[in-house]
Amino acid sequence: MTHKFLKEVCQEVSKYPRPVNSLGSTYTKDLVKEFAIKNNLPLSIEEHRSKTTPTHFFLKAKKLVKLNILNEFKEHVEGKIFIVEIEKLKYINTLQDYIPILLIKDIVDIELYKDKINDIKPKAVIFSLTTIDTNFYQRVFNFNMPVFSIGYKDLEYIEELTYITLEPIKEEQIEIENISFDIGRGPIVYVITSISSKDDSYGSIYSASSIALTLGIAQSFCKHYNSDFKFRFFFTEEDSYNFESIQKHISKNLKHVYYAISVFNMGWTNKSCFYEDAHGDNSLYMSEKFYKYAKSINQNIFFLKTKTMSFLHAPFKNKDVKTLMLGSYPCIVSNTKYDNIESVRFEELCSWFEILSGFLRRFHAL
């Protein structure tokens, strides 16, 4: 029954793209609220005004080419441009006058070369995936310069350019909505997921599957709850680089919070538990416990660290809350135009449900 519920919710959420304050986002928020009301759960709804910068702009070339902003971009940059395979960077000592376009095979590649890129000091970096032609949106951290992505087919339109100037886009004020409900009593454990997707993606793998997983676990706890912890299921539209609305939330809601778990890409292979991310260590103790539990029930999972990626649990770290970051990684199609309901691996979503719901039910034994 639960597996059917997971699929139905994922399909329902995947009907529309879900950028902040969109029809799809509103539709999904209403779905979450209706779930809480139907199950008589105490519902909390917060609205925060948050600064945001559009996540893309257009570069003037043979045709207008879309550049996606993957980290902070606050200052004008300009420089010479050339296209280079990322493996060739090891032969380059400096790029201080340049904005290179890096050709990479996988999103993991740019992480492998992060230190080298920072050492050779380009003005900015634009990268393009060579194995799939799509606009790529995953946030990256710990680069000392702005990082952008570009679709592979768009390279032909900018090959004749030798010099480019990039101007930041003006920040906007938007309303961000956070929704949460609690099950149980005791010290609080957050389970955090994103509602959002990009405007050209259905985000079925990225966030629809995570929403389905979170509601599926909540539904199972409504039917049978036996724990010394209170579980707070937290859904947010937050999509900014600095997690502003989440920081505002935890500034008023931190009492008795002991753990924060974030989930993403629940509808894909490569299940991963991150003991470290771009914002530092996650709880090694809890990460090891989760990894060992997954292995004990014969589930394949990676135990790894990343220096360039993070997620919605990050603001809790500064408040001494123990964190756990779970996701399927790498997932090259996540939050792209190819991220739709047909791409979801439902057997993986069900597998994630068995692992995380079982782990949370045994949380008191940690």
Side-chain angles (χ1 to χ4, degrees):
M1 184 64 183
T2 300
H3 291 180
K4 180 182 177 183
F5 177 84
L6 295 174
K7 187 172 185 178
E8 288 175 348
V9 173
C10 192
Q11 290 173 331
E12 197 68 22
V13 174
S14 296
K15 285 182 175 179
Y16 311 101
R18 297 176 301 285
V20 177
N21 292 337
S22 65
L23 168 66
S25 179
T26 300
Y27 184 81
T28 301
K29 288 184 290 186
D30 288 345
L31 186 150
V32 173
K33 293 170 188 175
E34 288 169 8
F35 174 90
I37 293 169
K38 180 180 177 181
N39 288 280
N40 297 313
L41 299 173
L43 182 64
S44 173
I45 301 170
E46 305 170 336
E47 290 185 353
H48 298 288
R49 290 195 65 80
S50 180
K51 293 179 182 177
T52 187
T53 303
T55 56
H56 67 269
F57 63 98
F58 290 92
L59 176 65
K60 189 174 181 181
K62 290 181 183 177
K63 76 163 192 174
L64 290 178
V65 172
K66 186 176 183 181
L67 284 184
N68 302 298
I69 306 168
L70 305 183
N71 62 352
E72 288 189 299
F73 176 38
K74 293 185 176 181
E75 297 180 0
H76 159 103
V77 292
E78 58 183 277
K80 301 172 188 176
I81 189 169
F82 77 108
I83 301 174
V84 59
E85 294 179 1
I86 196 167
E87 294 86 354
K88 302 289 179 62
L89 288 183
K90 59 187 175 184
Y91 304 114
I92 298 174
N93 294 321
T94 182
L95 281 173
Q96 290 185 345
D97 296 326
Y98 287 86
I99 298 176
I101 296 179
L102 305 179
L103 304 181
I104 70 175
K105 296 178 182 177
D106 200 328
I107 54 175
V108 174
D109 295 352
I110 197 165
E111 169 153 351
L112 296 176
Y113 285 85
K114 173 185 68 70
D115 292 340
K116 179 63 176 179
I117 291 169
N118 285 335
D119 287 344
I120 60 181
K121 300 181 174 68
K123 297 286 188 69
V125 169
I126 302 170
F127 77 81
S128 177
L129 295 164
T130 60
T131 50
I132 184 172
D133 181 51
T134 185
N135 292 314
F136 182 76
Y137 293 106
Q138 178 181 291
R139 294 287 188 182
V140 296
F141 299 86
N142 292 332
F143 286 87
N144 298 333
M145 71 292 296
V147 180
F148 310 90
S149 73
I150 188 174
Y152 188 64
K153 288 183 179 177
D154 285 332
L155 292 177
E156 64 179 284
Y157 300 110
I158 63 173
E159 285 178 331
E160 67 179 20
L161 299 178
T162 57
Y163 196 91
I164 58 172
T165 298
L166 304 176
E167 295 288 349
I169 304 172
K170 186 178 179 181
E171 286 185 332
E172 301 172 352
Q173 288 280 343
I174 58 171
E175 290 287 340
I176 297 284
E177 192 167 309
N178 298 326
I179 305 169
S180 61
F181 53 79
D182 297 346
I183 297 177
R185 295 180 178 180
I188 298 172
V189 179
Y190 271 77
V191 181
I192 313 161
T193 191
S194 173
I195 288 172
S196 300
S197 74
K198 296 303 177 184
D199 55 7
D200 57 353
S201 174
Y202 291 96
S204 302
I205 295 168
Y206 171 68
S207 57
S209 61
S210 304
I211 294 166
L213 173 77
T214 307
L215 291 180
I217 292 173
Q219 183 193 60
S220 71
F221 281 13
C222 288
K223 294 177 179 177
H224 177 68
Y225 167 82
N226 181 20
S227 178
D228 297 328
F229 288 89
K230 176 190 290 186
F231 294 97
R232 178 164 295 161
F233 297 90
F234 186 84
F235 305 80
T236 180
E237 290 182 281
E238 180 62 77
D239 192 35
S240 72
Y241 186 78
N242 61 2
F243 309 110
E244 186 177 355
S245 76
I246 298 179
Q247 292 192 50
K248 290 178 180 177
H249 167 81
I250 62 179
S251 68
K252 299 177 181 179
N253 296 276
L254 202 61
K255 191 174 182 180
H256 304 310
V257 177
Y258 285 74
Y259 301 97
I261 302 168
S262 68
V263 296
F264 65 99
N265 290 350
M266 293 285 109
W268 196 248
T269 57
N270 306 322
K271 289 191 285 291
S272 300
C273 175
F274 298 83
Y275 63 87
E276 183 181 342
D277 61 51
H279 290 95
D281 293 339
N282 294 307
S283 170
L284 181 59
Y285 178 79
M286 188 159 64
S287 297
E288 286 181 337
K289 287 287 186 181
F290 183 87
Y291 174 76
K292 290 177 181 177
Y293 175 73
K295 299 297 282 187
S296 74
I297 57 173
N298 299 316
Q299 296 286 350
N300 291 322
I301 189 167
F302 295 106
F303 192 63
L304 48 79
K305 67 178 180 179
T306 172
K307 293 291 188 179
T308 63
M309 190 178 70
S310 191
F311 203 55
L312 302 170
H313 64 285
F316 288 85
K317 292 188 180 190
N318 296 330
K319 304 298 182 180
D320 295 324
V321 175
K322 295 180 177 64
T323 55
L324 182 62
M325 176 176 163
L326 304 174
S328 298
Y329 178 80
C331 179
I332 204 168
V333 300
S334 176
N335 224 358
T336 70
K337 64 183 179 182
Y338 300 107
D339 186 357
N340 53 40
I341 195 65
E342 286 77 21
S343 299
V344 175
R345 309 285 182 87
F346 283 104
E347 71 278 7
E348 297 293 339
L349 175 56
C350 294
S351 174
W352 268 117
F353 172 82
E354 299 301 333
I355 301 170
L356 187 54
S357 63
F359 180 73
L360 293 179
R361 288 191 183 280
R362 292 163 178 80
F363 209 75
H364 61 279
L366 289 177

